[in-house]
Amino acid sequence: MKIAFIPIDNRPVCYTMPQIIAGIDSSLEFFIPERELLGDLKKNANIEKLFDWLKALPQMDAMVISLDTLAYGGLIPSRRCPESFEEIKNRIETLKTILESKNAKIYAFSSIMRISNNNYNEEEKDYWSKWGKKIFDYSYQTHKLGCESCITNIIPSEILDDYIETRKRNFGINKIYLKWQKEGLFETLIFSKDDCAEYGFNVQEAKYLEEMGGFTKTGADEIPLSLLSRAIQGEIKICPIFAEPDYKNLISNYEDISIEKSVQGQIELAGCKLADEKDADLILYINNFKEHQGEIVMKKNTESFSKTFPVFKKPYMIADVRFANGSDNNFVKEFLKTQVEDENFYGYSAWNTSANTLGSLICGTKIKFFASKYNKNHFKKLQITRMLDDWAYQANVRQILDKPDESELVEKMKIYENIIENFLDTKINVNYSFPWERLFEVEIEFN
């Protein structure tokens, strides 16, 4: 099977992780553009060269497309770029012509522009550093009240006008994609809801798109992997088992649905099926939270896992979502006491949001389950990456770093490398870097 894949940007989770996952089945021919063509925190993707890359592709069976990359230059540029609706519209019309010529099944997604609840402008327009929280409050209250909030009188008119115009532009582009979906261009089209609250313009837009026949999904970075799962033919029957079944109705941070619904939605989006334990092919064990989801970086604690790791009679995978953006140390401590067997263990993840964790985990699982030529080394690479990133780095080492310092990182990670080597019965030889020169993500490169 030949699959083309255009990521959101060049972060490791968006660029290198899909390649590792696809490599679990050596029979898959995975096509991805050169990394330098994709955007980062400060640079937009080279859209013209990406169009050339698409044109030059041989015949594909499936194409997984991040539309924000080809319309705006990436997910972050979709909130920042100053181009008009007409300019973006002309660009995506060219994209449509290219895609129509490929005669492949196209799995695509476009984001519904998020509204972050802070004054942190690293991924937003410059004015977010002063007015971001106020714009969030304006959006939230206007939707909740059903009429314009008085907060509009506090925000300078030129800033509010620019923000509203950017939202209007992106929403207009999404309506064009929905029209193409109805014309049959896409096998699957997802509108992603990133960093959702209960109310807001993004929530309203999602509802409008749904009423027009669109399919919306809470999440963002994992959706290309969920679409990759969907492109892989075959259906796995999955039984979710919650560590805290009495609390599966609670809502995760940055999401607007319960963890139970998030699990169900990710299983279905991947082209898999919910099943009871008796009929299931695989168990999905979810280390969910009580009362509220913790967040290690934000110093938001929660009650950790305090049970014994269960024994499963069927193959299983693990979604560790008790904390957002990092493992639950107590849970990993118990997990490390077990003995993983390759034929029964299908993966661990605690990557960022609950949706990120679930979507990426199920993707690796589905490719391993249906692999024509199973590559054990790539599966181990994936597990090493998740353990080093989600557990060693995010839940522990990141908490004691003041700034991105690669030499200090190498030193602090050694103790965790040794533990993971013993647990997975493998040698670890990796390099570390901070690809976006910030602590949020780390690059793990295998030698």
Side-chain angles (χ1 to χ4, degrees):
M1 185 178 188
K2 292 181 178 180
I3 301 177
F5 189 95
I6 295 186
I8 299 170
D9 52 46
N10 68 8
R11 282 172 295 161
V13 288
C14 299
Y15 190 78
T16 57
M17 182 159 68
Q19 294 177 75
I20 293 172
I21 289 176
I24 293 171
D25 184 356
S26 296
S27 72
L28 289 179
E29 294 184 61
F30 192 72
F31 295 76
I32 191 167
E34 295 173 1
R35 198 169 189 174
E36 56 265 27
L37 298 185
L38 297 166
D40 58 28
L41 187 60
K42 301 172 184 175
K43 172 178 72 76
N44 290 8
N46 189 326
I47 298 172
E48 186 176 334
K49 288 191 175 180
L50 286 173
F51 279 10
D52 290 340
W53 181 83
L54 279 171
K55 291 174 187 175
L57 282 172
Q59 179 61 47
M60 294 287 111
D61 296 300
M63 304 174 75
V64 176
I65 305 289
S66 298
L67 291 166
D68 290 338
T69 299
L70 298 170
Y72 311 101
L75 180 62
I76 294 172
S78 72
R79 309 168 200 141
R80 286 179 172 174
C81 89
E83 293 173 293
S84 68
F85 171 79
E86 286 302 323
E87 288 174 303
I88 304 297
K89 181 175 179 288
N90 290 338
R91 180 179 295 141
I92 64 170
E93 290 290 351
T94 301
L95 171 64
K96 184 186 183 191
T97 302
I98 297 171
L99 295 179
E100 285 175 331
S101 72
K102 289 301 171 182
N103 194 30
K105 290 184 177 180
I106 299 168
Y107 302 81
F109 93 99
S110 177
S111 67
I112 298 168
M113 194 169 122
R114 77 172 188 180
I115 315 176
S116 57
N117 187 12
N118 54 54
N119 285 347
Y120 191 51
N121 75 339
E122 186 177 51
E123 298 185 9
E124 316 294 335
K125 290 192 177 184
D126 289 342
Y127 54 68
W128 212 263
S129 62
K130 186 173 182 181
W131 299 104
K133 183 69 168 64
K134 287 287 189 293
I135 293 171
F136 174 88
D137 291 342
Y138 168 71
S139 163
Y140 187 96
Q141 295 298 335
T142 298
H143 180 199
K144 184 176 182 180
L145 297 171
C147 59
E148 189 167 57
S149 165
C150 62
I151 298 171
T152 185
N153 299 321
I154 300 172
I155 305 166
S157 59
E158 65 274 14
I159 288 174
L160 193 56
D161 289 348
D162 176 81
Y163 176 74
I164 296 297
E165 191 59 35
T166 303
R167 289 209 71 89
K168 183 180 176 182
R169 178 200 69 188
N170 289 17
F171 185 53
I173 295 298
N174 278 340
K175 287 194 285 186
I176 292 174
Y177 295 146
L178 185 54
K179 177 174 175 286
W180 294 353
Q181 164 78 356
K182 292 176 179 179
E183 292 171 358
L185 179 66
F186 303 113
E187 181 76 11
T188 301
L189 173 66
I190 304 292
F191 296 107
S192 68
K193 299 183 288 181
D194 188 17
D195 290 358
C196 279
E198 186 178 2
Y199 297 99
F201 296 142
N202 51 346
V203 180
Q204 282 182 309
E205 288 170 14
K207 185 178 180 183
Y208 293 148
L209 290 167
E210 288 166 0
E211 288 172 351
M212 290 185 280
F215 180 44
T216 67
K217 191 72 184 162
T218 299
D221 292 344
E222 84 290 343
I223 288 181
L225 292 171
S226 297
L227 292 174
L228 175 58
S229 303
R230 196 172 182 87
I232 302 298
Q233 298 305 301
E235 182 183 80
I236 309 174
K237 290 179 286 186
I238 298 173
C239 174
I241 295 178
F242 292 86
E244 308 293 349
D246 294 339
Y247 298 92
K248 61 185 180 181
N249 63 316
L250 297 180
I251 296 174
S252 304
N253 300 347
Y254 311 109
E255 299 189 8
D256 60 348
I257 55 175
S258 70
I259 184 61
E260 181 180 32
K261 288 183 178 179
S262 185
V263 167
Q264 292 171 353
Q266 291 292 341
I267 290 172
E268 290 163 0
L269 179 57
C272 299
K273 185 178 180 180
L274 283 162
D276 58 30
E277 190 169 358
K278 178 174 65 72
D279 297 327
D281 300 307
L282 278 161
I283 301 298
L284 168 56
Y285 188 64
I286 304 107
N287 179 33
N288 59 312
F289 44 90
K290 294 182 178 181
E291 306 303 334
H292 63 268
Q293 189 176 34
E295 192 154 3
I296 302 167
V297 176
M298 303 296 185
K299 311 300 182 190
K300 184 179 179 182
N301 211 349
T302 195
E303 184 179 332
S304 291
F305 184 79
S306 58
K307 302 179 180 181
T308 302
F309 189 81
V311 175
F312 298 110
K313 296 178 181 178
K314 292 193 173 188
Y316 66 95
M317 53 180 156
I318 301 164
D320 185 359
V321 299
R322 197 168 288 243
F323 290 83
N325 202 25
S327 302
D328 174 4
N329 275 307
N330 279 9
F331 179 81
V332 173
K333 182 180 177 181
E334 289 300 313
F335 179 43
L336 290 172
K337 294 177 183 177
T338 67
Q339 185 173 358
V340 295
E341 297 175 356
D342 186 72
E343 62 271 20
N344 288 323
F345 177 57
Y346 276 74
Y348 169 90
S349 183
W351 167 39
N352 208 17
T353 66
S354 295
N356 291 160
T357 290
L358 290 159
S360 59
L361 175 68
I362 295 169
C363 184
T365 291
K366 190 172 184 184
I367 289 179
K368 177 179 177 179
F369 191 87
F370 289 112
S372 298
K373 294 181 180 178
Y374 173 53
N375 187 320
K376 185 175 180 178
N377 286 335
H378 267 264
F379 180 71
K380 279 201 171 183
K381 274 187 179 181
L382 179 61
Q383 302 319 309
I384 290 167
T385 303
R386 297 274 52 87
M387 294 293 287
L388 284 175
D389 192 339
D390 306 346
W391 174 55
Y393 177 70
Q394 299 290 353
N396 293 284
V397 174
R398 180 180 173 185
Q399 312 312 314
I400 55 177
L401 294 180
D402 296 322
K403 62 182 186 301
D405 184 330
E406 289 174 18
S407 59
E408 186 178 3
L409 177 61
V410 168
E411 178 190 341
K412 302 294 185 189
M413 292 290 281
K414 271 296 174 191
I415 185 173
Y416 298 97
E417 289 179 21
N418 294 336
I419 294 169
I420 296 167
E421 281 183 337
N422 291 330
F423 180 60
L424 296 177
D425 189 25
T426 188
K427 294 300 291 182
I428 295 176
N429 185 9
V430 296
N431 293 325
Y432 301 101
S433 62
F434 295 99
W436 281 18
E437 298 177 353
R438 62 182 188 177
L439 290 171
F440 189 79
E441 56 270 304
V442 65
E443 177 102 38
I444 299 164
E445 184 179 3
F446 289 83
N447 293 323

